[in-house]
Amino acid sequence: MADQVSVIQWIVAEMAMWLIEGLIPEKGVRVLNAVGRVVLWIGLFLLLLGVTIALAVEGDLLVLLGLAVGFVGLLFLGIGASLRSLGNRQMVDMGLLDVVS
């Protein structure tokens, strides 16, 4: 019974991804690519700023602030990379949301 439920869940998830993929027009794919690029650059800037703050200052609280800013930069880099991969033209041909599954 559990195998049947997992197959049904997989089928429903694939159908939902096909539906979402069909709703995203070509302009939306280009927007995802552009937004992902901007988020990547913001993440890179924050990461470099955080590392610079952490290494350049001598106060304990400022080092923690630098590490926190660097961590937020890493998060932005990950989000930007995932948006760019969704907005990539090659991903449209093989299935826009197959990366998720």
Side-chain angles (χ1 to χ4, degrees), residues 19-20 24 37 45 73 82 91 94 100:
L19 175 68
I20 292 170
I24 299 176
R37 186 175 332 141
F45 175 75
S82 64
M91 294 302 292
M94 63 183 257
V100 176

Side-chain angles (χ1 to χ4, degrees), residues 9 13 33 46 56 61 77:
Q9 288 175 342
N33 198 6
L46 287 175
L61 288 176
L77 281 172

Side-chain angles (χ1 to χ4, degrees), residues 16-64:
M17 284 190 280
W18 290 338
L19 175 68
I20 292 170
E21 182 178 317
L23 294 175
I24 299 176
E26 288 295 317
K27 289 183 181 179
V29 171
R30 288 194 301 252
V31 167
L32 278 176
N33 198 6
V35 169
R37 186 175 332 141
V38 169
V39 172
L40 270 172
W41 280 107
I42 291 171
L44 181 66
F45 175 75
L46 287 175
L47 179 65
L48 292 175
L49 179 68
V51 169
T52 303
I53 290 173
L55 294 177
V57 297
E58 295 185 18
D60 291 337
L61 288 176
L62 291 177
V63 170
L64 288 176

Side-chain angles (χ1 to χ4, degrees), residues 68-89:
V69 169
F71 182 71
V72 170
L74 273 174
L75 290 177
F76 270 73
L77 281 172
I79 292 169
S82 64
L83 287 174
R84 289 261 324 194
S85 70
L86 285 175
N88 195 355
R89 284 294 307 151

